[in-house]
Amino acid sequence: MPRTLSSRRSSHRLAADAGLLVVAAAFVLPLAWVVLSALDPHADLRVKLPDGLTLDNFDAVMTPDITFTPLLNSLLLCGGGTLLTVACAALAAYPLSRFRSRLNRPFLLTVLFATSLPITAIMVPVYALFVQVNLIDTMEGTIFFFAASQLPFAIWLMKNFMDGVPKELEEAAWTDGASSLQSLVRIVLPLMGPGVAVVTVFSFVMMWGNFFVPFMLLLTPDQMPAAVSINEFFGNRGTVVYGQLAAFSILYSTPVILLYVLVARRLGGGFALGGAVKG
Amino acid sequence: MKTATDPGLAKGPGPAAVPPARSTRPRRVPLLRVLPLTPAVVLLLLFLAGPIAYCAYIAFTDLQLTGQAEDSFVGFENFTTAFGDDAFLNAVWLTLVFTVISALVGQNTLGLALAALMQRASKPVRTLVGGIVITAWVLPEVVAGFLLYAFFRREGTLNAVLDWLHLPTQNWLFTLPILAVSFANVWRGTAFSMLVYSAALNEIPKEITEAAEVDGAGGWRRLWHITLPMIRRSIGTNLMLITLQTLSVFGLIWVMTRGGPGGRSQTLPLFMYEEAFQKSMIGYGTAVALLLLVVGSLFSVVYLRLLRTEV
């Protein structure tokens, strides 16, 4: 045998490493641009080593107008939407996971169907509807819509996590006279802490990155979240200071990257299917 | 992984112990049991089902943004207008091109290739590459749009690289805008397919591939005769999901090209937006939205069927 299996494997490994690194090089270029430009006093559109390191770009965008108000708006919108989503999903998942009913299956199928609907397509009618009921350009209207659009997937995830909590623990609480709500809040939710964390982070990340929903439903500049304001500040201007754009992009993206790192291990590939919900 | 793909619809493990409990609990309980569902159901009905129903209604009216006393029912007029409208047909064609290039070919193939290579690669390389590809995916859509805009601009990184390789450069966002946004979508979305396929490949038992290797089957034959057939359900699910995601991409294209120049990267969501808001034809824009929604629902139903057979 001229080549043993193991020597063939190690040459395969080298080839695989090389192939992956080539792809990664292509993927890393735009990312390298944003990091290097943010630190570069004379940034342009190309990836290049900075002419000297500076934090001036960050300094320049760290103003109430450009950074703080939009990020605070994002936090309000996404925080409010996430709270509502997680609370409703936890409540809804409980009967779906705990009680057998003929309605469970059709309900879950509908929910699953709704997870993959293109939300983009319904934004025009949502806008028209919001104008009619005076919810247009309000934070609460946008929060409600955010929550509703994330809810199908949140219910789905939450129900699956809840199925993993053994029922016996609750039965003990029931015999001690606890109500369903008590056992949900005191026993089930604490036991599925990681699951709740995943649903929370997932909903938040999806809303944080969403551009189209606030773009359509909010009109007043003071209310705009970072996803839309970045476009107003940098997209519509004649001359763009690229270093500042890069610095702002980093400030705006960091929270979701950190949150992703926080929960990525918990769910592994399942987190990927989450992307299914939104475009 | 299991949590998301395994629907467990028919036989959720949770209620396994229910039957005895049910007989001991009196009949009035069911009402109390559905009570926790109400906040979610109300929210979904008002803000998701409501707009969908409203969408189906105004698609058949001539509702406009301003200056119109009352909208009136116009039947299928919006749809007949659409199919005679060159801009609409252009958007349909571009949406097809965008979906095929960026999702079906780009994300899907590259995702599978990355996942397959990762099976064999050494751990540090795997972690590094996975980290980079996933970062591109986690970034907010608008940020991804700006990064790729900078990449494809005439003065951007792509041309710098091409220059360095002595290849001809061009103004990508002007000459081939649909290709540029398609590649942007590949950059942003490949991580999803990669994660789906990594999970699927991990579930193939080692013995099977090893047996084939010992029998002398080469890499391509193993891929074609063993790997692909074994993950065919994941392929189906993944294709459905990335198609649905790609159909609703708006922010990425909006930031990069605004649908231009001259509508040459205007996919259906951007066309819908332009008709509804820049031209104030809400009725017409909604008719286009309804078509998109119907196509999306069809894919969604196929996806549900695929999930069901997977159990």
Side-chain angles (χ1 to χ4, degrees), chain A residues 124-130 132, chain B residues 48-60 63 71 282 286:
Chain A
V124 175
V126 169
Y127 173 88
L129 201 62
F130 270 33
Q132 307 246 318
Chain B
L48 218 52
I52 291 175
Y54 195 58
C55 179
Y57 165 68
I58 46 181
F60 295 95
L63 183 65
D71 56 290
I282 295 252
T286 307

Side-chain angles (χ1 to χ4, degrees), chain A residues 67-149:
Chain A
T67 301
F68 299 121
T69 312
L71 283 185
L72 190 68
N73 288 337
S74 285
L75 192 66
L76 275 177
L77 276 180
C78 308
T82 305
L83 274 181
L84 199 58
T85 308
V86 173
C88 290
L91 283 172
Y94 187 73
L96 292 172
S97 164
R98 287 312 189 235
F99 307 124
R100 180 177 291 174
S101 153
R102 251 176 307 158
L103 292 177
N104 279 4
R105 189 182 153 80
F107 187 84
L108 280 170
L109 275 175
T110 314
V111 163
L112 199 57
F113 172 74
T115 57
S116 38
L117 280 182
I119 295 293
T120 309
I122 64 167
M123 287 320 292
V124 175
V126 169
Y127 173 88
L129 201 62
F130 270 33
V131 170
Q132 307 246 318
V133 297
N134 277 328
L135 276 174
I136 200 73
D137 199 24
T138 61
M139 289 297 240
E140 61 273 20
T142 314
I143 288 175
F144 279 130
F145 184 74
F146 258 147
S149 65

Side-chain angles (χ1 to χ4, degrees), chain A:
Chain A
M1 219 196 260
R3 290 169 76 199
T4 60
L5 267 183
S6 72
S7 85
R8 203 157 65 186
R9 283 233 180 94
S10 67
S11 75
H12 275 170
R13 167 167 300 174
L14 269 178
D17 282 358
L20 281 179
L21 288 173
V22 169
V23 178
F27 269 78
V28 87
L29 282 175
L31 294 172
W33 176 79
V34 75
V35 174
L36 295 175
S37 302
L39 299 170
D40 188 340
H42 309 292
D44 57 19
L45 285 166
R46 296 195 170 185
V47 174
K48 62 180 170 64
L49 285 178
D51 306 338
L53 292 181
T54 172
L55 289 177
D56 288 354
N57 291 321
F58 287 94
D59 253 3
V61 294
M62 293 258 237
T63 63
D65 255 12
I66 300 182
T67 301
F68 299 121
T69 312
L71 283 185
L72 190 68
N73 288 337
S74 285
L75 192 66
L76 275 177
L77 276 180
C78 308
T82 305
L83 274 181
L84 199 58
T85 308
V86 173
C88 290
L91 283 172
Y94 187 73
L96 292 172
S97 164
R98 287 312 189 235
F99 307 124
R100 180 177 291 174
S101 153
R102 251 176 307 158
L103 292 177
N104 279 4
R105 189 182 153 80
F107 187 84
L108 280 170
L109 275 175
T110 314
V111 163
L112 199 57
F113 172 74
T115 57
S116 38
L117 280 182
I119 295 293
T120 309
I122 64 167
M123 287 320 292
V124 175
V126 169
Y127 173 88
L129 201 62
F130 270 33
V131 170
Q132 307 246 318
V133 297
N134 277 328
L135 276 174
I136 200 73
D137 199 24
T138 61
M139 289 297 240
E140 61 273 20
T142 314
I143 288 175
F144 279 130
F145 184 74
F146 258 147
S149 65
Q150 282 304 319
L151 201 50
F153 194 69
I155 293 177
W156 180 250
L157 271 185
M158 198 74 99
K159 189 242 168 211
N160 280 297
F161 281 121
M162 213 174 266
D163 285 347
V165 177
K167 203 176 151 72
E168 289 70 26
L169 295 165
E170 263 174 284
E171 280 168 348
W174 284 345
T175 50
D176 290 344
S179 71
S180 289
L181 185 66
Q182 280 171 326
S183 73
L184 171 66
V185 175
R186 297 269 166 75
I187 296 167
V188 182
L189 289 182
L191 281 174
M192 50 180 282
V196 176
V198 167
V199 178
T200 309
V201 167
F202 179 79
S203 308
F204 189 84
V205 169
M206 280 297 154
M207 295 178 196
W208 188 265
N210 193 303
F211 165 74
F212 203 38
V213 172
F215 180 65
M216 296 284 275
L217 300 183
L218 294 175
L219 311 168
T220 322
D222 313 342
Q223 293 192 334
M224 289 299 182
V228 184
S229 75
I230 182 178
N231 197 36
E232 300 297 317
F233 276 113
F234 300 104
N236 293 341
R237 282 184 179 175
T239 53
V240 179
V241 185
Y242 292 107
Q244 294 181 14
L245 173 61
F248 182 80
S249 299
I250 289 179
L251 289 173
Y252 167 44
S253 309
T254 308
V256 287
I257 292 178
L258 290 181
L259 282 173
Y260 178 80
V261 171
L262 204 70
V263 296
R265 286 180 187 199
R266 288 273 174 227
L267 200 57
F271 203 81
L273 286 175
V277 192
K278 302 283 315 181

Side-chain angles (χ1 to χ4, degrees), chain B residues 22 53 66 110 148:
Chain B
R22 190 187 218 174
T66 45
L110 189 58
L148 274 306

Side-chain angles (χ1 to χ4, degrees), chain B:
Chain B
M1 187 63 198
K2 263 293 184 249
T3 42
T5 40
D6 173 12
L9 286 173
K11 42 181 176 48
V18 162
R22 190 187 218 174
S23 55
T24 55
R25 294 197 154 209
R27 276 254 150 220
R28 63 182 167 72
V29 174
L31 194 70
L32 265 179
R33 284 179 178 180
V34 296
L35 202 60
L37 278 172
T38 38
V41 171
V42 168
L43 209 54
L44 288 174
L45 283 180
L46 285 182
F47 290 94
L48 218 52
I52 291 175
Y54 195 58
C55 179
Y57 165 68
I58 46 181
F60 295 95
T61 69
D62 59 357
L63 183 65
Q64 294 186 11
L65 260 189
T66 45
Q68 186 190 24
E70 240 173 42
D71 56 290
S72 49
F73 191 77
V74 295
F76 283 93
E77 199 182 297
N78 287 326
F79 296 96
T80 46
T81 315
F83 285 104
D85 181 352
D86 284 342
F88 172 76
L89 297 175
N90 172 53
V92 170
W93 166 245
L94 288 176
T95 309
L96 271 175
V97 172
F98 181 63
T99 311
V100 170
I101 295 183
S102 72
L104 302 186
V105 178
Q107 292 182 11
N108 187 52
T109 320
L110 189 58
L112 180 58
L114 285 173
L117 288 175
M118 279 183 164
Q119 299 280 306
R120 297 179 180 159
S122 54
K123 191 151 191 293
V125 174
R126 206 180 337 163
T127 315
L128 176 76
V129 176
I132 291 170
V133 176
I134 289 174
T135 307
W137 177 61
V138 178
L139 282 184
E141 191 177 11
V142 182
V143 172
F146 276 116
L147 297 194
L148 274 306
Y149 168 81
F151 185 73
F152 282 110
R153 273 293 298 240
R154 189 204 289 275
E155 316 85 338
T157 307
L158 177 60
N159 278 345
V161 172
L162 290 176
D163 233 6
W164 183 66
L165 294 172
H166 299 292
L167 291 170
T169 65
Q170 52 185 313
N171 189 356
W172 298 97
L173 291 174
F174 184 78
T175 49
L176 289 166
I178 191 66
L179 207 62
V181 294
S182 298
F183 276 109
N185 195 41
V186 173
W187 185 81
R188 186 172 123 82
T190 298
F192 180 82
S193 302
M194 182 187 84
L195 289 169
V196 169
Y197 288 134
S198 288
L201 292 178
N202 278 333
E203 277 170 22
I204 297 181
K206 280 270 179 296
E207 300 81 54
I208 297 185
T209 38
E210 270 166 16
E213 207 173 336
V214 171
D215 288 347
W220 290 112
R221 286 181 61 193
R222 281 207 305 276
L223 178 73
W224 189 251
H225 291 290
I226 296 166
T227 314
L228 289 184
M230 289 197 77
I231 62 167
R232 67 178 187 282
R233 294 219 166 96
S234 298
I235 296 177
T237 329
N238 184 54
L239 285 177
M240 283 303 127
L241 290 175
I242 59 176
T243 304
L244 283 162
Q245 287 166 31
T246 304
L247 279 180
S248 52
V249 168
F250 179 90
L252 189 70
I253 303 179
W254 180 255
V255 170
M256 287 180 70
T257 66
R258 294 277 196 276
R264 281 190 291 130
S265 59
Q266 191 178 50
T267 56
L268 278 172
L270 283 106
F271 176 76
M272 168 194 94
Y273 175 80
E274 187 183 275
E275 290 300 327
F277 294 100
Q278 279 158 3
K279 298 190 183 160
S280 303
M281 307 290 280
I282 295 252
Y284 185 42
T286 307
V288 175
L290 188 63
L291 291 173
L292 198 59
L293 201 60
V294 169
V295 174
S297 313
L298 290 178
F299 275 104
S300 212
V301 169
V302 175
Y303 165 60
L304 282 190
R305 294 221 77 103
L306 281 170
L307 273 190
R308 198 147 43 161
T309 49
E310 198 169 302
V311 179

